[in-house]
Amino acid sequence: MNIEWDKLGFEFMPTRSNVRASFKDGKWSELKLFNTYDITMSVAANCMHYGQAIFEGMKAFRMKDGRIGVFRPQMNAKRFNSSAERILMETLPEEMFLEAIKMVVKDNADYIPPYGTDGSLYIRPVMFGTSSQIGVSPSFDYEFVMMVMPAGPYYKGGIKPVDALIFDELDRAAPHGTGNIKCAGNYAASLYSSKMAKKAGCPVALFLDPATHEYIDEFGTSNFFGITKDGKYVTPESPSVLPSVTNDSLLTLAQDLGIEVERRKIHKSELADFAEVGACGTAVVITPIHHIYYKDQVFTYGDNIGEVSSKLYYGLKAIQYGEAEDKHNWMFIVD
C-alpha cells in the first residue's frame, strides 16, 4: 500500500476489506469480513426494481493522541433503522451496527490518514433488498454491507464559498414522502437538479419545500443553516428534510458558544436577512455559500467563510481530531 495522503480526494478507493451480514429466514447472519467488492444477486432482486435501498455516512479519525475515533455513530445507527422502518426493510440491531464499525475500521486501520493530514476514513453502510420478486412488496431478504475508504480534506487550499441555485419547478422529495430518510431514491431525485445547477455555474442546488415552494428545505446532499444579522443560528424545521448528524452537532456547538438557535420554518424571503449561509454534512462539515440565485434575485453572503461558521467548523473538527474536549461524548473510540 502506497497512499499519497496529501493527494487524497473524496472518491472511491478499495481497501483491505468490507464487512457484511445477510438477513434470511427471519434472522441476521454473523458479521463477516470480505476482501472482495463484488456482490452477486438475482436480476429480479427487489432493490433493482422497487428501490429498497438505504445508506449512511460516517467518518473515523486518527486523533491527536493516536487513538481512532468515529464521530457519533450511534446517531447514524438510529437514523439507519428509521430509514429501514419507513420503507419496510428489516432493521439492524444497534450493537451489530457498532460492532461492524469496529471490525471494518480495525481491519483497515492503516488506511486512516495520519493525524495532521486533515483526512479521515469514510465509512459507508448500505442495505438493500435481495429477494427475487416481480410484484410490488417488501423484500424478504436483505444484504448489509459496510465499506470504508480513505478521504482527504474536502477543501484543498482553504475553504472557498460556493454559489447555489434554487429551482422552483423541481423537487427533491414529495410532501409527506421519504425526504426525511436516507434512501437511495432521494439522491437519484436530486441528480437532475444538481446537474442543471452546475450547468448554470453553481456547484449546489437548493430545494424549497415540495408542498408550497414557499419555505427553504435543504441542499441536494446537505442541510441548510443560516446565521442571521443579529447572530442567531437558524435551520429549517421540515418533514422533508433529512435529520443531519452534522447539523445537530453544529447546533449544539452554537449553543455552547452562547448563540441562540432556532429550528423553524424559513420563508424564502428571509434569504435576504442572513449574514452567513452554509450547507452542512458529513463529507464537508460546512460549505459556506457565496451567492444564492433565485429567478431574478441574487443573495450575497461574502467572499469568505463567515465568523460564526468558521468558529463552528473548526470547533467541530477540533473535537473529531481530539484537539478539544469532547464534553458531549461524541467520539466512539475503536480499541
Side-chain angles (χ1 to χ4, degrees):
M1 184 182 71
N2 185 22
I3 298 176
E4 296 182 89
W5 302 112
D6 60 334
K7 294 183 180 178
L8 277 177
F10 189 77
E11 57 189 7
F12 174 72
M13 176 189 293
T15 56
R16 177 172 296 104
S17 62
N18 54 86
V19 65
R20 305 182 191 181
S22 300
F23 185 84
K24 196 172 181 64
D25 298 326
K27 62 182 180 181
W28 283 104
S29 69
E30 291 186 359
L31 293 165
K32 183 180 178 181
L33 289 167
F34 284 77
N35 301 120
T36 176
Y37 279 79
D38 297 328
I39 292 176
T40 300
M41 60 183 175
S42 168
V43 295
N46 174 289
C47 61
M48 294 194 292
H49 297 262
Y50 306 117
Q52 276 194 304
I54 60 174
F55 67 99
E56 277 294 328
M58 299 165 285
K59 284 182 176 180
F61 301 86
R62 181 68 68 179
M63 301 169 74
K64 186 177 182 179
D65 61 5
R67 294 181 300 166
I68 299 170
V70 181
F71 186 68
R72 303 191 73 179
Q74 297 92 338
M75 192 169 179
N76 290 94
K78 289 180 172 59
R79 192 171 67 177
F80 192 72
N81 280 333
S82 176
S83 297
E85 289 171 349
R86 174 63 178 82
I87 55 174
L88 299 182
M89 299 179 72
E90 187 60 37
T91 57
L92 189 81
E94 183 174 323
E95 61 271 19
M96 192 172 177
F97 188 93
L98 297 177
E99 181 60 29
I101 291 173
K102 288 182 179 180
M103 286 178 66
V104 76
V105 170
K106 283 183 179 180
D107 200 54
N108 294 280
D110 50 344
Y111 285 89
I112 302 175
Y115 173 76
T117 62
D118 203 23
S120 59
L121 187 74
Y122 184 75
I123 306 169
R124 167 56 59 84
V126 60
M127 184 164 69
F128 45 92
T130 55
S131 294
S132 299
Q133 56 193 91
I134 300 298
V136 182
S137 63
S139 182
F140 296 104
D141 305 327
Y142 297 93
E143 189 76 10
F144 169 74
V145 181
M146 186 177 285
M147 53 166 279
V148 296
M149 67 179 198
Y154 196 90
Y155 299 114
K156 293 185 183 295
I159 301 174
K160 296 180 178 63
V162 303
D163 293 340
L165 182 64
I166 297 175
F167 287 98
D168 245 341
E169 66 275 16
L170 296 169
D171 294 321
R172 171 183 163 272
H176 311 296
T178 59
N180 64 337
I181 68 169
K182 206 166 177 67
C183 66
N186 290 346
Y187 294 82
S190 72
L191 293 177
Y192 183 78
S193 301
S194 296
K195 179 180 179 180
M196 297 304 293
K198 289 172 183 174
K199 190 175 180 180
C202 298
V204 294
L206 177 60
F207 292 90
L208 300 177
D209 77 286
T212 69
H213 287 189
E214 289 294 317
Y215 298 93
I216 302 300
D217 245 17
E218 64 179 345
F219 295 98
T221 59
S222 310
N223 268 195
F224 174 101
F225 76 89
I227 307 300
T228 62
K229 291 174 181 175
D230 59 355
K232 296 177 183 176
Y233 182 105
V234 184
T235 195
E237 180 72 55
S238 167
S240 299
V241 169
L242 182 74
S244 165
V245 177
T246 304
N247 196 4
D248 182 81
S249 306
L250 294 174
L251 189 149
T252 301
L253 290 183
Q255 291 174 310
D256 290 347
L257 292 171
I259 296 170
E260 186 176 345
V261 302
E262 295 179 351
R263 191 186 290 274
R264 60 171 175 80
K265 283 187 171 184
I266 302 173
H267 194 268
K268 59 188 179 184
S269 63
E270 294 184 66
L271 288 172
D273 300 332
F274 292 114
E276 305 173 27
V277 166
C280 59
T282 299
V284 66
V285 181
I286 292 176
T287 297
I289 302 300
H290 187 197
H291 301 104
I292 294 178
Y293 296 93
Y294 178 52
K295 295 184 176 178
D296 58 350
Q297 297 177 284
V298 181
F299 305 95
T300 302
Y301 305 104
D303 298 332
N304 301 296
I305 186 170
E307 181 181 354
V308 175
S309 296
S310 181
K311 286 180 181 178
L312 296 174
Y313 175 79
Y314 289 108
L316 185 58
K317 288 176 72 67
I319 293 171
Q320 292 173 332
Y321 286 108
E323 300 165 346
E325 180 188 3
D326 179 20
K327 65 180 182 179
H328 298 290
N329 296 313
W330 283 340
M331 300 306 293
F332 176 76
I333 304 302
V334 177
D335 298 324

